[in-house]
Amino acid sequence: ERTLKGVVYTYLAALEQNEGAYEQKEDGSVWKGEYDISHSEAIADSIKADGGVDVTFFYGKTRFMTSVKNDKGERIVGTDASDEVIEAVLNKGETMFSTHVLVNGLDFYGYYVPVFQEGTNEAIGMVFAGLPHDEGLATFNAIMKVLLITTVIVIVIAAVIGIFSSNNT
């Protein structure tokens, strides 16, 4: 959760560096001032490549830019967030962490943060950072394996020391 929170706020900060209001242009693209968010794949792909975390920008409830791709390598855009996410993040302006976010049929851990129009309390969209369950579980299992091996080694060392100590007295 902390990792996803850090990524989502970093991504939001990168977007917020651009001056101006969020708006949707006639061609359907979403901009913040002079910055075209709809075609900002490079930053999303960089975050994915460097940290393994997917990011998404929603304008309103709709996904406009993302690093998440389908089996054909196409970005998953034009889909809407779940009603639960819309209610918490867009309607109430709250952050939200979920252990079960479905994106293109894949289960993700996800963190959502509302995006506010400059100078208002109006949530115009949200940003998402997510990690597929498979990757999260693989990381967790690797950590648990190291802890288990370390624990067994410490127990064996303690037993050996105990045996030698009892034999020497």
Side-chain angles (χ1 to χ4, degrees):
E1 179 178 353
R2 285 191 311 247
T3 298
L4 295 178
K5 182 178 181 180
V7 170
V8 81
Y9 276 108
T10 300
Y11 178 55
L12 181 59
L15 296 176
E16 293 291 328
Q17 288 182 23
N18 300 289
E19 303 261 337
Y22 290 95
E23 64 178 320
Q24 189 169 13
K25 303 285 185 173
E26 289 180 17
D27 67 358
S29 62
V30 176
W31 292 67
K32 179 162 186 348
E34 299 296 317
Y35 183 70
D36 183 0
I37 295 171
S38 300
H39 297 99
S40 61
E41 293 94 352
I43 189 169
D45 292 345
S46 175
I47 292 169
K48 172 72 174 179
D50 293 342
V53 175
D54 283 293
V55 293
T56 298
F57 177 85
F58 290 83
Y59 190 71
K61 64 181 182 177
T62 304
R63 183 178 284 106
F64 271 82
M65 199 294 308
T66 187
S67 60
V68 181
K69 297 178 182 176
N70 63 20
D71 295 339
K72 297 177 185 176
E74 303 163 331
R75 293 180 194 281
I76 308 295
V77 293
T79 57
D80 291 344
S82 70
D83 291 340
E84 177 187 14
V85 172
I86 293 166
E87 178 61 25
V89 183
L90 286 179
N91 296 345
K92 294 181 180 176
E94 300 172 347
T95 61
M96 179 181 172
F97 174 72
S98 178
T99 58
H100 296 288
V101 177
L102 283 178
V103 181
N104 194 38
L106 295 176
D107 204 10
F108 278 74
Y109 297 101
Y111 203 96
Y112 294 86
V113 173
V115 175
F116 296 101
Q117 192 65 273
E118 196 170 322
T120 73
N121 290 330
E122 175 193 0
I124 57 86
M126 55 192 151
V127 291
F128 161 85
L131 181 66
H133 268 217
D134 292 346
E135 292 177 29
L137 289 175
T139 301
F140 175 78
N141 288 338
I143 291 169
M144 291 306 294
K145 184 176 178 180
V146 168
L147 288 175
L148 180 63
I149 290 169
T150 303
T151 302
V152 168
I153 290 170
V154 168
I155 290 171
V156 168
I157 290 172
V160 168
I161 291 172
I163 291 169
F164 280 124
S165 294
S166 66
N167 287 339
N168 288 335
T169 55

